[in-house]
Amino acid sequence: RVYSFPPAPVKPGESGASPWRRILSLKAVVLEPRKSSDLADAMAEFDKYLAAPGSKGCVLFGVCRGKVSEGMDFADGRARAVIITGLPFPPVEDPRVKLKREYLDAERAGAAL
């Protein structure tokens, strides 16, 4: 599986690049794999991009409470910054969530009339 993307500089005069394209114009990117068995390969790619001659670094995208969020050592040059974003999803089976969903569904059904 492919979990890494080499840097791809934006061509002069190129405009309207997506956020993904702008990130790749500056750094290589490695994604946290879905399978734990693929983690070693993904981390090897991350280290490869960091050690490459002329490297400007590498961005590692991971998931909170995922494979790279706990128990891994990002010492020295392996981590210069950490940005954490998240969407707190409530438990789907929580009675309050069910009640609110039913209410919103009823409101939406009433607005459609």
Side-chain angles (χ1 to χ4, degrees):
R1 294 194 170 230
V2 175
Y3 293 106
S4 65
F5 303 86
V10 174
K11 297 179 178 94
E14 185 177 339
S15 63
S18 68
W20 180 256
R21 183 79 171 102
R22 290 194 310 260
I23 291 170
L24 285 175
S25 74
L26 301 171
K27 308 234 180 236
V29 173
V30 174
L31 305 177
E32 176 183 17
R34 290 182 185 260
K35 295 181 181 178
S36 295
S37 59
D38 294 333
L39 183 59
D41 291 338
M43 295 311 296
E45 287 288 304
F46 177 70
D47 290 332
K48 176 186 84 172
Y49 287 124
L50 288 178
S55 172
K56 293 183 178 180
C58 184
V59 177
L60 173 63
F61 285 101
V63 178
C64 286
R65 298 188 184 148
K67 293 161 215 60
V68 297
S69 66
E70 295 181 22
M72 298 199 67
D73 184 18
F74 290 98
D76 302 325
R78 290 186 85 203
R80 293 291 180 212
V82 175
I83 301 170
I84 299 175
T85 61
L87 299 173
F89 291 111
V92 178
E93 297 301 318
D94 184 307
R96 291 175 293 181
V97 173
K98 284 183 173 182
L99 187 60
K100 184 171 183 177
R101 189 179 325 118
E102 290 169 6
Y103 171 78
L104 293 173
D105 288 346
E107 286 290 310
R108 187 178 317 136
L113 296 177

